Amino acid sequence: MHKKDTITRTLQFPDDYQKGRALVSVEGRERICVENFKNICSYTFEEVRLSTRSAAICVRGKRLQIDSYTKEEIEISGRIDAILFE
């Protein structure tokens, strides 16, 4: 077993996180957080497109803004009308 696997199992990270899959958390229609994304493909006030290892994620709405992002996590707020997995 690899050291990384041992650490993530010991800390009880979700299986999706261990495998690098995107984790999407939604707070009502106002905020979305995506972990394990690769990059921002496009960004307007009506649409934010992200790429992940397994798919693209498209967030559509009004007055969308990127509140923060790091190498692995992005937070988007505004009025979220749709979340598409492509």
Side-chain angles (χ1 to χ4, degrees):
M1 184 176 290
H2 296 303
K3 186 175 182 178
K4 181 181 176 184
D5 292 335
T6 303
I7 292 170
T8 54
R9 289 185 197 284
T10 302
L11 296 175
Q12 298 178 344
F13 285 118
D15 190 47
D16 287 335
Y17 188 82
Q18 292 179 43
K19 294 180 179 177
R21 295 181 187 140
L23 299 175
V24 179
S25 303
V26 180
E27 296 177 30
R29 294 185 72 169
E30 294 81 34
R31 182 173 302 280
I32 183 171
C33 177
V34 180
E35 297 178 61
N36 292 332
F37 83 103
K38 289 174 74 176
N39 61 31
I40 301 167
C41 299
S42 65
Y43 168 50
T44 67
F45 294 120
E46 289 81 33
E47 181 178 272
V48 180
R49 297 179 70 81
L50 308 171
S51 66
T52 70
R53 275 190 187 176
S54 58
I57 298 174
C58 179
V59 180
R60 291 187 181 152
K62 296 188 176 37
R63 298 178 309 278
L64 297 178
Q65 65 181 29
I66 297 173
D67 293 329
S68 67
Y69 72 95
T70 64
K71 183 178 170 185
E72 297 178 350
E73 180 178 299
I74 186 167
E75 290 187 23
I76 301 165
S77 66
R79 182 191 159 135
I80 298 169
D81 294 328
I83 303 167
L84 306 168
F85 296 86
E86 303 171 336

